[in-house]
Each structure stands twice: as structure tokens, then as C-alpha cells.
Amino acid sequence: MPDTACSYRLKLSNGQGWNILSDEHNRAWTERFASILNLSTVTSDEESFMLTFVRNQKDKSEGSPGVHIEVPANLNRKASVFTMWKSILPIYKQAIMAKGVPIHSALIEHDKKGFLLAAPGGTGKTTCCNRLPTDWNAHCDDETLLVWNGEDNSYKGHPFPTWSNFYLDRPPWDWEVERSLQVNGIFFLQQSKVDSIEYLGQGKSAALIYQASSQICRRIWNELDSGQSEELKKHLFTLAGDVARQIPAFILNVSLDGMFWELIADASASAERLRS
Amino acid sequence: MNDTNLYRTNPSLIIRDDFDDFAILFDPHSGKAFGLNPIGELIWKSLKNEGSIENILQQIESDCCNIPETAESDVLAFIDKLENHGLIGRRI
């Protein structure tokens, strides 16, 4: 049975809400999960999806709604982080159904505008985040969930944790998962000796957005049969194309000592001028 | 001359042609995306409609200008590339 005293809510800017619950065995574990995501103990009567952590799938109550994630007793640290990382996937799946796209990227902010720095691991997302000047903020350095908001026809980015930090004993960030920022540009990072930037056409951008998303979503489709997996990939490619048509994208060649953020600000301002 | 009726487009592929640079052909099996310029897109769509090489060349002549003398061999080379990437197959 869910422990109603241990209930957290995650609300995304597209209106999707999650109630995150625990059975009586997993209270401490769920509190830790919620603290990493900066969730508060809010109960809500609003219609929400349910995510419940149970000790054993057999323990879930008959007809109990929503997703149940099994958290076995005495998990070691790595297994515990792996289970938390996996617990995010149902949230991503529902967002994808509502035109959202999880992207392997950092989410940074300047002048209340959000920008994604997308790249495979080891390219320099974290280094770029750490090098930003004080009037810029980095909200996450690895995973951003882009959600589509039909009311104002915009994409907003939510920062999600860098789970590998917990494996590698790196200091955790303050990931405020419920916080969102309108995304005004996507920048695909490439290491370089000299900083430079180039505008990407929408087709090329769509292909790169799909690639950056598949680096996260392969965790989802690895658990599906081949038919379901292909359907999800097709859907994701279509969504990547929609994002590419709406958000300007660039290749950002980044050196170790240049001021790449100035290129981002300039490119974003130019793209805005072109639109207006 | 090769007969394109020998070829069949891979039915699981999807094409998206509403971008400002390329049309993109997406293979959900491999997850690979291929950019097609307008001529590549014309050839792909023609193959999908079971058009022959003659049909494709006629369409290029009617839609384009400054057509190179190598057009036919360029089209055949492109079709070879599509086949090598598994985007089309030969009818058996």
C-alpha cells in the first residue's frame, strides 16, 4: 500500500503532473529521490500520473493505478542510482506522448532565455557550464526534458540530474526539475582550437536533435520489442523535426579559453531579429 | 540502362520534406537519417512510385535547368548509394 505520508508532486510546464509515492518500505529511498529532483511534499487533487516505489511488484495493491517501480531491499549505491535513473523514464515517456523530447544536453540561461548545449558525453558540456560568467546560469549539464506548451506554442526545458555524478563521486548540483525555461536556441558542441559558430538548416538540425535524444531514449526502447521500438523512433524523429522547425540551431565550435557564450548571445539575437 | 522497376523502396522509412535545407529520409531500424537535396528527393519519390530511370530523367529535364551530360550516370550512382545504405532493395 502507498504510504500517503510520503507523497511528492512533480509538475511540468506542459501541465503534466506526477504524484510520486512510496510503499512503507521505501520511504527513505523515495525521500532521497525527491530531494535530488528538488520536489516538495505537496499533495494534489489535480489529475496526475502516479509513480509508486514498491519493494516487490507483487506487493502492489490490486488495481493500483500508474507505474510501479521495484526497489529491492539493501541496494548498493550503484544499483540505487541505476534504479533512480530508470525511474525517470516513465516521466520522459509521457512527455514524449505530449510532443516533448528528452535531449542529451546542458540547459543554460542568460537574460531569462534558455539555451541547450547538446553533445555526446565527454565533449565538454560540463566544462562549458563551469566556464560560464556570473551573469549566465547552468541549470543542468547532461539531460534536459524539452516539453511543448500548446498554450503559447513554445518549447520549455526542464533540467534533469546528471546521474553519473553519483557513480563518480562528483558533487551533486541543485537540479530544480520543476523549473522551466523557454528554449531559444540549440547549440551542438564540437571541440575546437578556435571558437566559431555556424547556423544549421532545419533538416540537419532535426537529424542532430534526434541523435541527441536517442542517446537518452535508447534506455526506453531497449526495453521494448522491435516493433514498438521502431514506432517510438519514428515518433521521436517527427518530434525532432518539429523542434528543428521552431528553435534555431547551430554548431558551436568551442575552445578551452574562448568566450563561447558571446557567440551564443549574438546568434540568439540574430535569430530573433530574423524572426521579427 | 538499368530499370528502376527492379528496385523497391524500404517501406519502413519515412521522409520529411518541410525543412529549409534538406529533405530527411529516416530509417527507424538503424536510427540513421539521410539528407536529400531536391534532386535526391525527386529520385526517391519517383522510385517510391515505381518510376523508371526514363521517368526520373524526364522529370529532371522538365523541373531543372543546366542539366549536366552526366545526369543519367549521376542518377544511377545515387541509386547505387541508396541500395548500399539499404534504403532500397532489388525486386526478386
Side-chain angles (χ1 to χ4, degrees):
Chain A
M1 283 289 287
D3 175 356
T4 48
C6 184
S7 166
Y8 296 87
R9 200 190 67 171
L10 193 169
K11 181 95 174 168
L12 296 172
S13 54
N14 63 355
Q16 285 185 339
W18 285 84
N19 276 329
I20 296 170
L21 305 163
S22 164
D23 67 6
E24 67 273 23
H25 305 290
N26 287 309
R27 191 169 181 164
W29 194 90
T30 305
E31 282 169 2
R32 170 95 177 113
F33 178 77
S35 80
I36 291 171
L37 271 56
N38 260 299
L39 306 180
S40 49
T41 47
V42 180
T43 49
S44 167
D45 295 332
E46 285 178 49
E47 201 173 316
S48 296
F49 300 108
M50 306 272 276
L51 177 68
T52 308
F53 296 115
V54 294
R55 174 58 42 88
N56 190 312
Q57 287 284 8
K58 282 183 265 172
D59 294 344
K60 72 179 182 187
S61 11
E62 200 65 36
S64 172
V67 180
H68 293 79
I69 306 253
E70 194 171 289
V71 184
N74 303 319
L75 283 180
N76 65 30
R77 192 178 58 148
K78 279 196 171 180
S80 183
V81 172
F82 178 76
T83 305
M84 287 188 188
W85 167 79
K86 230 175 129 181
S87 305
I88 294 294
L89 299 183
I91 296 165
Y92 286 174
K93 269 196 224 172
Q94 284 302 335
I96 290 169
M97 293 305 126
K99 298 176 75 172
V101 185
I103 297 188
H104 192 188
S105 71
L107 174 63
I108 62 173
E109 177 187 6
H110 180 59
D111 275 350
K112 296 182 180 168
K113 290 175 187 156
F115 305 101
L116 302 185
L117 302 179
T123 308
K125 295 188 295 295
T126 305
T127 305
C128 285
C129 288
N130 291 335
R131 290 189 57 232
L132 288 170
T134 51
D135 55 340
W136 288 70
N137 286 316
H139 294 280
C140 66
D141 66 350
D142 199 50
E143 289 189 16
T144 303
L145 177 60
L146 210 53
V147 300
W148 185 72
N149 194 320
E151 281 175 17
D152 59 0
N153 195 29
S154 71
Y155 285 96
K156 293 195 170 69
H158 286 263
F160 273 76
T162 307
W163 297 103
S164 59
N165 281 10
F166 298 95
Y167 285 129
L168 302 171
D169 277 332
R170 289 183 182 146
W173 287 40
D174 196 19
W175 295 288
E176 288 184 58
V177 167
E178 287 188 303
R179 183 171 184 173
S180 68
L181 279 171
Q182 182 158 332
V183 174
N184 290 57
I186 303 177
F187 297 82
F188 294 94
L189 295 185
Q190 288 183 0
Q191 296 177 357
S192 171
K193 288 187 177 164
V194 183
D195 288 359
S196 66
I197 195 162
E198 52 192 278
Y199 174 76
L200 277 175
Q202 295 169 349
K204 199 163 183 194
S205 167
L208 291 176
I209 291 167
Y210 174 81
Q211 207 175 61
S213 181
S214 69
Q215 288 158 11
I216 293 177
C217 292
R218 63 171 58 109
R219 292 184 228 147
I220 301 175
W221 60 61
N222 282 348
E223 296 191 352
L224 303 174
D225 67 38
S226 64
Q228 291 172 321
S229 161
E230 285 201 7
E231 282 310 308
L232 176 60
K233 288 176 188 175
K234 280 185 189 176
H235 182 59
L236 205 59
F237 175 72
T238 303
L239 298 180
D242 294 344
V243 173
R245 281 172 52 83
Q246 184 141 341
I247 304 178
F250 307 83
I251 296 284
L252 182 61
N253 297 302
V254 182
S255 67
L256 280 172
D257 49 13
M259 294 190 283
F260 65 88
W261 50 90
E262 292 185 351
L263 296 177
I264 293 176
D266 288 349
S268 165
S270 302
E272 226 167 88
R273 275 197 300 275
L274 277 177
R275 278 193 169 196
S276 60
Chain B
M1 185 186 285
N2 279 9
D3 183 351
T4 51
N5 288 325
L6 291 173
Y7 296 103
R8 192 176 166 177
T9 55
N10 181 337
S12 67
L13 302 181
I14 54 173
I15 188 166
R16 183 141 181 190
D17 58 4
D18 56 349
F19 299 131
D20 63 3
D21 50 355
F22 306 114
I24 299 283
L25 199 54
F26 175 69
D27 179 355
H29 184 65
S30 68
K32 286 186 179 169
F34 301 86
L36 299 180
N37 67 19
I39 302 290
E41 188 185 339
L42 179 154
I43 296 171
W44 171 263
K45 286 180 175 169
S46 186
L47 289 174
K48 194 165 172 131
N49 293 326
E50 304 190 352
S52 65
I53 289 278
E54 285 83 0
N55 296 147
I56 291 170
L57 290 169
Q58 279 166 10
Q59 206 174 335
I60 290 172
E61 274 177 30
S62 74
D63 291 1
C64 311
C65 52
N66 298 328
I67 298 160
E69 287 177 10
T70 56
E72 185 180 331
S73 59
D74 291 345
V75 168
L76 292 173
F78 179 73
I79 288 173
D80 273 349
K81 271 192 187 173
L82 292 176
E83 190 179 7
N84 290 339
H85 284 294
L87 306 176
I88 58 174
R90 285 174 191 258
R91 289 176 190 274
I92 48 171

